[in-house]
């Protein structure tokens, strides 16, 4: 049928995969780091978008794209590229989750009348990473630059536009637009008034095109698809569909699921994103995931998470009554920004390293189970859970997650799923048909006879959570296990 490519421009690197358009088999791949500098405290500095193009050129070297007929582009989310009316960058792109925009985000929440007003308007509440909050920061702290802004793009929009030769038509997709804070996944429309609220004046915005649409064709004849954000591309590359949830185990955690409609959440716990197929990706974030494991490993003096996992499996479900609420950095779900962690159930017989190790794994996964239950409580079907992140390979996670989540758990083989998802989108634009590629290579774990035990552990956790933070989930649609 043909050959397609997928390009993932992440915060640190560009990765390109070249795939068979019919089967999705990866034929070749390229990689190059971004030539970037770190900002204060090792955080990402503001970035000249040309760095993304330099990295792209290096990754595509050696004839990597020879014979490719179409390419999809995904990129880091929330990277805001402010341009003037001629398309020149006004200042370097604002990337990542810089704390400088936290005050700006809070200002915007108040300016529109609260969290509920934002959730109803665009399906999310302003937070520091969102482009709308970065616009507010720009208006407050760099007013001269803000006044020159006439066009707004995100990273994948800008890259597509550059590859097409900077045409008059500028495009984006639903997935990328849904993460801006000024486009609604529920209505499928921009809110230019929110751009003005943040920036102080209107600006041009890219046209939102459909999942199967092409953004254009390069002078060399290479078809470029709509593009999307990294999160949406990874979900598309994994092959998740309705009934699937994806739990990402980073230092913090996230739970997202495919759903048939946008979910407006007045508490702001759910961020209502669009996906790369025409459906929706409601997302719930937790502030604490693997950081709770690392902290426990340090406290117990074990060398790494593998050793902590081995230790945890020497204990039994329920950790002899030890319960850890892992709110070490405050918490987002439930909303307890100033909370600290809580360890309860200390008795002489429970004061052993293996029980604390088990409590850490159970606490992390129960916290993510709370996030899953927020989605379930809003009618999102969860038949299986994909686990992502290096911690998904830990035997303790694989043993405990199915019983606590109460569903089949799937651990995927590591691969460049965002780039693969971008390539799949490229194949869709090329052929006009949604490619039925083989899904990710997986290992499947069932709760089996441990289901009732897992429900008891969840209930033990919920009881402690309600005692320590009564009513923490008041106003959210939590599922049955969340009490």
């Amino acid at each position: 049928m043909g050959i397609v490519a997928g390009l993932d421009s992440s915060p640190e690197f560009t990765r390109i995969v070249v795939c068979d358009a019919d089967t999705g088999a990866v034929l070749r791949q390229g990689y190059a780091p971004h030539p970037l500098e770190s900002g204060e405290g090792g955080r990402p500095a503001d970035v000249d978008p040309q760095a993304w193009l330099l990295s792209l050129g290096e990754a595509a070297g050696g004839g990597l794209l020879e014979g490719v007929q179409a390419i999809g582009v995904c990129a880091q989310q929330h990277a805001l590229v402010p341009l003037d009316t001629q398309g020149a960058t006004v200042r370097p792109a604002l990337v990542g989750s810089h704390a400088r925009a936290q005050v700006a985000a809070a200002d915007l929440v108040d300016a529109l009348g609260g969290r509920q007003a934002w959730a109803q308007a665009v399906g999310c509440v302003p937070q520091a990473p969102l482009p709308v909050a970065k616009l507010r920061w720009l208006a407050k702290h760099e007013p001269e630059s803000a006044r020159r802004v006439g066009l707004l793009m995100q990273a994948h929009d800008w890259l597509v536009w550059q590859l097409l030769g900077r045409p008059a038509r500028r495009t984006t997709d639903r997935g990328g637009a849904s993460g801006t804070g000024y486009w609604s996944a529920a209505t499928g429309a921009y809110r230019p008034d929110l751009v003005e609220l943040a920036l102080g004046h209107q600006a041009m915005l890219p046209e939102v095109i459909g999942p199967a649409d092409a953004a254009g064709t390069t002078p060399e004849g290479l078809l470029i698809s709509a593009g999307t954000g990294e999160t949406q591309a990874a979900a598309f590359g994994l092959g998740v569909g309705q009934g699937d949830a994806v739990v990402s185990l980073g230092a913090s955690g996230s739970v997202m699921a495919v759903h048939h409609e946008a979910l407006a959440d007045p508490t702001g716990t759910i961020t209502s994103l669009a996906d790369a197929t025409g459906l929706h990706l409601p997302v719930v974030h937790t502030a604490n995931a693997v950081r709770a494991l690392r902290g426990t490993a340090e406290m117990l003096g074990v060398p790494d998470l593998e050793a902590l996992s081995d230790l945890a499996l020497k204990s039994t479900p329920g950790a002899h009554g030890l319960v850890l609420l892992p709110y070490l950095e405050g918490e987002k779900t439930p909303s307890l920004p100033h909370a600290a962690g809580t360890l309860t159930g200390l008795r002489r017989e429970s004061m052993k390293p293996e029980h604390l190790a088990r409590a850490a794994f159970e606490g992390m996964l129960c916290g993510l189970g709370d996030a899953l239950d927020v989605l379930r409580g809003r009618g999102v079907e969860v038949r299986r859970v994909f686990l992502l992140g290096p911690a998904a390979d830990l035997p303790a996670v694989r043993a405990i997650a199915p019983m606590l989540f109460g569903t089949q758990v799937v651990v995927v083989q590591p691969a460049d799923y965002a780039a693969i998802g971008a390539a799949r989108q490229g194949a869709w634009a090329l052929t006009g048909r949604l490619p039925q590629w083989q899904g990710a290579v997986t290992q499947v774990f069932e709760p089996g006879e441990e289901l009732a035990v897992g429900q008891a552990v969840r209930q033990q956790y919920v009881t402690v959570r309600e005692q320590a933070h009564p009513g923490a989930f008041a106003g959210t649609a939590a599922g049955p296990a969340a009490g």
Side-chain angles (χ1 to χ4, degrees):
M1 181 184 293
I3 300 175
V4 295
L7 185 156
D8 174 20
S9 181
S10 86
E12 292 88 24
F13 58 79
T14 297
R15 195 179 298 278
I16 302 173
V17 296
V18 176
C19 302
D20 182 288
D22 191 22
T23 66
V26 176
L27 306 175
R28 50 189 187 266
Q29 49 195 317
Y31 168 89
H34 291 325
L36 302 179
E37 299 178 2
S38 291
E40 296 178 20
R43 289 187 295 268
D46 294 342
V47 176
D48 181 347
Q50 293 296 327
W52 305 331
L53 285 180
L54 291 171
S55 173
L56 189 165
E58 186 179 344
L64 184 77
L65 298 181
E66 189 174 333
V68 169
Q69 296 163 277
I71 188 168
V73 176
C74 74
Q76 59 179 305
Q77 295 184 264
H78 309 320
L80 179 67
V81 186
L83 306 164
D84 64 20
T85 54
Q86 305 304 310
T89 50
V90 167
R91 69 175 315 282
L94 294 122
V95 301
S97 179
H98 203 298
R100 64 186 173 188
Q102 286 176 351
V103 172
D107 286 348
L108 283 172
V109 172
D110 292 340
L112 195 65
R115 298 171 67 86
Q116 184 167 355
W118 278 96
Q120 289 175 339
V122 288
C124 61
V125 177
Q127 297 174 9
L130 292 190
V132 73
K134 290 169 177 167
L135 283 180
R136 180 72 160 202
W137 178 88
L138 191 65
K140 293 288 185 183
H141 295 274
E142 297 181 8
E144 282 298 320
S145 293
R147 278 192 283 273
R148 292 174 52 211
V149 173
L151 168 63
L152 297 173
M153 286 188 168
Q154 292 190 91
H156 91 260
D157 314 334
W158 188 85
L159 284 166
V160 166
W161 187 53
Q162 296 295 319
L163 290 172
L164 290 172
R166 297 164 58 98
R169 183 192 189 211
R170 295 170 288 259
T171 62
T172 189
D173 87 307
R174 298 168 63 256
S178 67
T180 59
Y182 43 80
W183 185 88
S184 167
T187 65
Y190 280 117
R191 287 289 303 265
D193 58 314
L194 299 183
V195 174
E196 186 168 0
L197 180 68
L199 184 61
H201 61 86
Q202 295 285 350
M204 291 183 288
L205 301 167
E207 174 191 348
V208 180
I209 60 176
D213 293 341
T217 304
T218 68
E220 296 77 28
L222 180 65
L223 188 73
I224 301 185
S225 64
T228 195
E230 266 189 320
T231 297
Q232 290 84 355
F236 197 37
L238 281 167
V240 297
Q242 292 196 65
D244 293 330
V246 179
V247 172
S248 295
L249 298 172
S252 54
S254 69
V255 176
M256 65 180 178
V258 180
H259 197 48
H260 65 277
E261 63 180 351
L263 296 178
D265 174 21
T267 69
T269 303
I270 299 172
T271 298
S272 192
L273 298 178
D275 80 344
T277 72
L279 294 173
H280 296 270
L281 272 182
V283 182
V284 178
H285 293 277
T286 68
N288 302 277
V290 176
R291 63 165 43 100
L293 302 183
R294 296 202 183 281
T296 304
E298 289 171 10
M299 188 161 70
L300 291 174
V302 298
D304 51 37
L305 296 187
E306 288 74 17
L308 188 72
S309 171
D310 293 342
L311 194 58
L313 291 176
K314 294 178 181 176
S315 181
T316 54
H320 273 249
L322 277 190
V323 176
L324 175 66
L325 300 183
Y327 302 162
L328 309 182
E329 299 284 332
E331 189 45 75
K332 295 178 180 178
T333 305
S335 181
L336 299 166
H338 306 297
T342 303
L343 180 66
T344 67
L346 283 169
R347 299 180 186 276
R348 181 64 191 90
E349 61 271 19
S350 66
M351 296 177 72
K352 294 182 178 178
E354 61 265 29
H355 301 324
L356 179 55
R358 177 94 189 192
F361 280 94
E362 290 180 348
M364 175 187 76
L365 292 167
C366 282
L368 289 160
D370 280 350
L372 268 172
D373 285 339
V374 169
L375 295 178
R376 284 171 165 147
R378 289 295 305 275
V380 177
E381 183 183 18
V382 179
R383 290 194 305 270
R384 61 177 178 169
V385 171
F386 285 74
L387 278 184
L388 297 185
D393 288 330
L394 297 173
V397 169
R398 297 180 175 198
I400 298 169
M403 71 169 82
L404 294 187
F405 294 161
T407 189
Q408 183 184 87
V409 167
V410 176
V411 178
V412 301
Q413 182 176 307
D416 302 316
Y417 291 110
I420 290 169
R424 191 179 179 202
Q425 189 195 65
W428 197 359
L430 178 66
T431 66
R433 298 187 303 276
L434 179 62
Q436 300 304 311
W437 288 2
Q438 184 174 346
V441 178
T442 63
Q443 289 180 276
V444 178
F445 301 87
E446 302 279 358
E449 297 177 357
E450 299 284 300
L451 184 59
V453 175
Q455 289 177 328
V457 174
R458 279 296 309 277
Q459 190 54 54
Q460 176 179 268
Y461 178 91
V462 168
T463 299
V464 170
R465 189 195 68 219
E466 282 301 304
Q467 288 172 345
H469 305 284
F473 275 104
T476 63

